[in-house]
């Protein structure tokens, strides 16, 4: 890889990220059903109808996985704490779940890994989904109680706590595009989810502050968005898509407003008196997590319903997901966040990575495309720091091949290969290359 640790400030953190439902094995330890179990059991939603019941069996193998992080010389580990494991019905604590995260966090600290917790990475308990999930305001209030329960147990040992992972996916991808649980295509449910997930962040921060937590933030995903051509119509369409995808959450959280271009579609469907929540939503936070993967080019689609846009993959080479590889987009968002929204607040690249159809040959996985991808995105991060963004860490997505949501186990994002029959872990060549880069 074309970077080394000493290219970065001395306390810059290198790490890898995962999420509970994607790796743990949700069938173990008394966890409750989540809306992903329901979504996966519905024909056509997930490749081969796969779910997270066993996943990587991290629940039983976490010591081995944390050893691999440590052996790579990583500084930090971004993980999530499953609401449905900790409160199977969404309301009642599960002692086994609390004990699991207690052991997990101690095992991180024993290995010198800084714990970066994400409170909600999509495992909504089915009992709350039954009551309308994120379209129901009560879910945001119950989320606050969940924050109390897990923070009382492990908050004392967290290096950083993010409330929500990728609220755009929670709301728009899941309620408007229908690609993720609960698989709705309903603008009214979307508008409500867009607001209630943002409110859950605000409530989460309030609860964390009541418990004297520092290092509280959120993880947002960003998608490089450009007009498909030079026409004024494409420019306006790209601005509208940018408002929905890239501006809605960061403007709510830092300025207490939603972009007018997005409210033009959602306004009629927003919950009553949503404006009254904006002060709680926009309270100060301590860091911003940036997830970045790819770029889209946008055309106007005047005959389609609002938002009247058609989105196309960019022209560059693609990953196994079909996502364009476009490192300049990461530099764009890191510098844009600093310039337009957060100033000098610490930024972390909380996810960046690529899927590839990795195969084990002769006991090794040769994945030069991934090593190049990581190198190029870490260098884009370095350039963003040089251009004034206060970026303090980079987390690769993902430590392990895992349950890639609607794509089941087919798409491999890991630095470590997982054989989903034997569950054997095999570090890929990119793992070894990353290890030597951050040792230099
Ligand atoms: C992000 C998710 C993560 C993973 C990657 C590929 O949107 O946060 O769980 O699925 O994409």
């Amino acid at each position: 890889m074309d970077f080394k640790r000493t290219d970065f400030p001395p306390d810059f953190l290198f790490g890898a990220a995962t999420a509970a439902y994607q790796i743990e094995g949700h069938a173990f330890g008394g966890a409750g059903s989540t809306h992903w179990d329901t979504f996966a059991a519905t024909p056509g939603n997930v490749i081969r109808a796969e779910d997270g019941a066993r996943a990587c069996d991290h629940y039983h193998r976490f010591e081995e996985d944390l050893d691999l992080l440590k052996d790579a010389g990583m500084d930090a580990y971004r993980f999530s704490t499953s609401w449905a494991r900790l409160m199977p019905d969404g309301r009642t604590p599960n002692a086994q779940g609390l004990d699991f995260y207690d052991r997990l966090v101690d095992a991180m600290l024993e290995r010198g890994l800084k714990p970066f917790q994400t409170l909600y990475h999509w495992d909504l308990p089915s009992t709350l989904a039954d009551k309308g999930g994120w379209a129901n305001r009560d879910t945001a209030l119950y989320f606050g109680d969940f924050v109390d329960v897990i923070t009382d147990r492990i908050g004392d040992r967290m290096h950083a706590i993010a409330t929500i992972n990728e609220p755009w996916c929670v709301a728009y991808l899941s309620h408007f595009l229908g690609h993720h649980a609960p698989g709705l295509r309903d603008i009214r449910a979307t508008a409500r989810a867009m607001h209630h997930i943002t409110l859950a962040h605000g409530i989460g921060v309030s609860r964390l502050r009541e418990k004297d937590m520092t290092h509280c933030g959120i993880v947002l995903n960003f998608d490089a968005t450009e007009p498909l051509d030079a026409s004024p119509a494409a420019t306006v369409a790209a601005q509208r898509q940018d408002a929905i995808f890239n501006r809605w959450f960061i403007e709510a959280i830092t300025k207490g407003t939603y972009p007018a271009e997005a409210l033009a579609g959602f306004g009629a469907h927003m919950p009553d008196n949503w404006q009254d929540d904006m002060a709680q939503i926009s309270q100060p936070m301590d860091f911003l997590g940036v997830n970045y993967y790819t770029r889209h080019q946008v055309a106007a689609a005047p005959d389609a319903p609002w938002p009247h846009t058609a989105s196309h993959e960019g022209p560059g080479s693609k990953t196994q997901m079909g996502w364009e590889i476009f490192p300049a987009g990461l530099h764009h968002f890191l510098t844009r966040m600093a310039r337009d929204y957060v100033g000098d607040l610490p930024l972390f690249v909380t996810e960046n990575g690529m899927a590839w159809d990795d195969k084990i040959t002769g006991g090794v996985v040769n994945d030069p495309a991934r090593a190049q991808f990581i190198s190029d995105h870490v260098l884009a991060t370095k350039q963003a720091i040089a251009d004034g963004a206060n970026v303090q860490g980079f987390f690769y997505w993902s430590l392990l091949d895992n349950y890639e949501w609607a794509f089941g186990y087919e798409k491999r994002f890991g630095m470590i290969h997982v054989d989903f029959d034997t569950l054997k872990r095999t570090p890929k060549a990119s793992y070894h290359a990353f290890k030597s880069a951050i040792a230099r």
Side-chain angles (χ1 to χ4, degrees):
M1 293 188 188
D2 304 320
F3 72 94
K4 49 190 186 311
R5 184 183 281 276
T6 48
D7 293 338
F8 287 83
D11 42 11
F12 191 87
L13 303 176
F14 289 98
T18 64
Y21 190 83
Q22 294 178 272
I23 63 165
E24 286 175 0
H26 203 70
F28 312 123
S33 168
T34 81
H35 67 169
W36 267 96
D37 298 302
T38 324
F39 185 74
T42 308
N45 283 343
V46 177
I47 289 179
R48 293 182 292 266
E50 288 167 340
D51 60 28
R54 188 169 79 145
C56 305
D57 190 26
H58 177 75
Y59 186 81
H60 296 109
R61 296 165 198 250
F62 68 87
E63 302 255 6
E64 177 187 352
D65 296 336
L66 297 179
D67 282 345
L68 287 164
L69 276 159
K70 178 176 182 229
D71 292 347
M74 303 232 198
D75 311 299
Y77 176 44
R78 176 171 176 248
F79 69 111
S80 80
T81 45
S82 165
W83 190 348
R85 176 176 300 291
L86 286 158
M87 300 173 102
D89 63 0
R91 306 287 295 137
T92 318
N94 165 28
Q96 264 182 292
L98 285 159
D99 290 347
F100 170 67
Y101 290 115
D102 206 23
R103 293 196 307 271
L104 181 70
V105 168
D106 281 345
M108 288 179 216
L109 296 178
E110 280 160 21
R111 290 163 178 79
L113 296 164
K114 293 185 166 46
F116 272 64
Q117 180 191 9
T118 303
L119 285 157
Y120 183 72
H121 200 129
W122 307 354
D123 22 28
L124 185 71
S126 292
T127 42
L128 301 184
D130 293 344
K131 296 178 187 142
W134 291 109
N136 181 348
R137 182 184 178 88
D138 289 346
T139 301
L141 308 179
Y142 294 149
F143 175 74
D145 299 339
F146 158 64
V147 173
D148 283 344
V149 166
I150 184 60
T151 306
D152 282 343
R153 189 61 178 265
I154 66 170
D156 57 333
R157 283 156 287 162
M158 289 307 101
H159 186 77
I161 307 176
T163 51
I164 308 291
N165 178 70
E166 300 193 348
W168 179 87
C169 292
V170 173
Y172 198 86
L173 186 68
S174 307
H175 296 77
F176 197 69
L177 301 178
H179 296 326
H180 277 189
L184 295 183
R185 300 194 62 198
D186 181 323
I187 193 170
R188 196 166 178 82
T190 306
R192 279 143 205 266
M194 293 287 279
H195 182 65
H196 293 145
I197 194 67
T198 315
L199 174 61
H201 161 76
I203 290 173
V205 173
S206 298
R207 297 298 184 98
L208 292 169
R209 296 303 188 206
E210 281 164 21
K211 297 188 182 298
D212 298 325
M213 292 296 121
T214 54
H215 299 109
C216 305
I218 189 169
V219 170
L220 303 180
N221 56 315
F222 297 96
D223 194 88
T225 304
E226 294 173 0
L228 182 65
D229 56 45
S231 67
T235 300
V236 171
Q239 282 166 351
R240 194 176 307 124
Q241 181 145 318
D242 187 62
I244 297 168
F245 200 125
N246 297 320
R247 289 174 46 211
W248 179 274
F249 300 102
I250 190 65
E251 290 188 7
I253 285 160
T254 59
K255 302 184 197 292
T257 55
Y258 290 131
E261 296 92 326
L263 278 176
F266 291 137
H269 305 289
M270 293 290 282
D272 293 341
N273 305 320
W274 59 268
Q275 292 88 344
D276 297 349
D277 296 325
M278 298 314 283
Q280 180 165 33
I281 286 171
S282 58
Q283 62 188 298
M285 51 178 197
D286 307 313
F287 75 92
L288 174 67
V290 171
N291 289 1
Y292 172 76
Y293 288 93
T294 189
R295 162 171 76 167
H296 285 90
Q297 297 184 327
V298 183
D303 297 333
W306 187 88
H308 315 299
T309 55
S311 188
H312 304 268
E313 290 297 330
S317 57
K318 309 290 189 297
T319 71
Q320 188 196 19
M321 296 291 279
W323 295 351
E324 186 198 17
I325 300 173
F326 186 62
L330 180 56
H331 174 271
H332 166 81
F333 283 112
L334 293 170
T335 51
R336 178 175 169 187
M337 287 304 120
R339 186 189 62 229
D340 294 350
Y341 298 106
V342 300
D344 208 31
L345 195 79
L347 294 166
F348 291 88
V349 179
T350 34
E351 281 182 33
N352 172 248
M354 65 169 271
W356 201 249
D357 184 19
D358 300 307
K359 300 270 191 290
I360 300 200
T361 324
V364 300
V365 181
N366 215 346
D367 59 342
R370 180 174 290 104
Q372 191 64 52
F373 181 102
I374 297 172
S375 181
D376 290 345
H377 286 82
V378 171
L379 289 176
T381 304
K382 179 183 160 192
Q383 188 58 45
I385 296 172
D387 294 337
N390 182 17
V391 193
Q392 301 196 350
F394 179 96
F395 291 81
Y396 179 73
W397 180 274
S398 177
L399 178 67
L400 304 168
D401 291 341
N402 61 43
Y403 179 66
E404 181 41 44
W405 308 113
F407 296 92
Y409 295 93
E410 198 176 85
K411 307 293 185 200
R412 295 182 174 274
F413 274 92
M415 262 185 188
I416 296 168
H417 181 277
V418 176
D419 178 322
F420 290 108
D421 295 321
T422 63
L423 297 173
K424 181 175 168 20
R425 277 76 163 140
T426 307
K428 302 177 188 176
S430 58
Y431 168 98
H432 297 294
F434 192 71
K435 173 176 174 167
S436 32
I438 64 176
R440 286 203 296 267

